[in-house]
Amino acid sequence: MTFEEFIETARKAFGTLTEVQEEQFRRLDPLYRDWNSKINVISRKDIDGLYCHHVLHSLAIAEYVRIKMPEVYETLRTPSGDISILDIGTGGGFPGIPLAILFPGGRFTLCDSVGKKIKVTAAVAEALHLDNVATVNARAEDLPMKFDFIVSRAVTSIENFLPWTKGKYSRGILYLKGGDIAAELGLAMQKFGIPSGKVHTWKVDSWLGDPYFEGKMVVFFERK
């Protein structure tokens, strides 16, 4: 997917983007290519799929919020918004960096326990002048702060992931996950006593038709 194809998809989904936002999205490709040549945060076989497999995949969370939580979406799109979001296991900055570009009303903390990965994330955020992004080299469970929302992209199984979020959020978790999601969810819900009405799933390929997204989901855990 070229940048032009990506930005057309983003405009159709999210409406008008500012010149600054479009330029920030455009700069993701050269920035990640440069950093990936030094520190491998994206598979070198997949760097050409940056906009489809990584940026748009991250923005599936934004599309879910736009459809399912319009008031939250509008606040996040407004620069004066004040919603705190923790990205756990951000790696090279996904989903946090694309979401921070689209959502100036979000205050993003991008967390990863691997120092070299957070180094790349911090450098990309700085190069893009993303003032709404902070980066932290730490385990999520060691952070003392509490956030409105947690986001993450398939860092581990749901059963392993949920304990990392305990006491860390007040409104919900938006988790990008693929695989046998029904079995994973059933196990986690039983183990942690999560009511069925507090878990919602949304198929990413209902928005993005590329075969890459088949079976990939946004899973939203409401605060119990």
Side-chain angles (χ1 to χ4, degrees), residues 33-50:
R33 284 183 187 276
D34 179 51
W35 273 105
N36 219 49
S37 68
K38 307 168 191 172
I39 299 173
N40 191 18
V41 292
I42 295 171
S43 167
R44 292 192 170 97
K45 295 180 180 179
D46 198 32
I47 192 67
D48 289 337
L50 175 73

Side-chain angles (χ1 to χ4, degrees), residues 24-217:
Q24 287 170 328
F25 280 126
R26 186 194 66 78
R27 292 189 63 199
L28 289 177
D29 185 81
L31 280 168
Y32 276 108
R33 284 183 187 276
D34 179 51
W35 273 105
N36 219 49
S37 68
K38 307 168 191 172
I39 299 173
N40 191 18
V41 292
I42 295 171
S43 167
R44 292 192 170 97
K45 295 180 180 179
D46 198 32
I47 192 67
D48 289 337
L50 175 73
Y51 282 115
C52 183
H53 298 170
H54 301 278
V55 183
L56 276 179
H57 191 200
S58 298
L59 292 180
I61 288 175
E63 178 67 356
Y64 178 87
V65 173
R66 186 187 70 81
I67 295 169
K68 303 294 185 179
M69 294 181 276
E71 291 183 4
V72 173
Y73 176 81
E74 290 302 323
T75 300
L76 285 167
R77 287 298 305 273
T78 304
S80 60
D82 189 26
I83 294 177
S84 58
I85 299 171
L86 171 65
D87 178 2
I88 293 179
T90 191
F94 301 100
I97 292 287
L99 290 173
I101 293 173
L102 184 67
F103 288 150
R107 292 183 289 107
F108 289 83
T109 298
L110 278 50
C111 174
D112 203 286
S113 61
V114 180
K116 65 180 181 179
K117 292 182 178 181
I118 211 69
K119 177 181 179 180
V120 175
T121 301
V124 171
E126 182 178 7
L128 296 176
H129 304 292
L130 286 173
D131 297 332
N132 61 336
V133 169
T135 58
V136 182
N137 180 201
R139 294 162 57 92
E141 55 267 45
D142 295 333
L143 295 179
M145 305 87 82
K146 191 171 187 177
F147 302 82
D148 292 310
F149 291 97
I150 289 173
V151 299
S152 189
R153 186 172 74 146
V155 292
T156 186
S157 70
I158 294 171
E159 181 184 5
N160 290 336
F161 179 74
L162 289 177
W164 301 349
T165 70
K166 186 176 181 181
K168 294 289 183 290
Y169 68 99
S170 61
R171 301 179 70 173
I173 301 168
L174 292 147
Y175 196 47
L176 290 167
K177 193 72 174 68
D180 189 353
I181 198 74
E184 274 198 43
L185 271 177
L187 181 63
M189 290 167 69
Q190 182 179 23
K191 182 173 181 177
F192 300 113
I194 303 172
S196 59
K198 294 295 184 181
V199 180
H200 312 272
T201 59
W202 179 74
K203 294 180 178 180
V204 176
D205 65 4
S206 68
W207 174 46
L208 302 171
D210 191 291
Y212 175 81
F213 296 105
E214 184 177 353
K216 290 180 168 56
M217 312 284 284

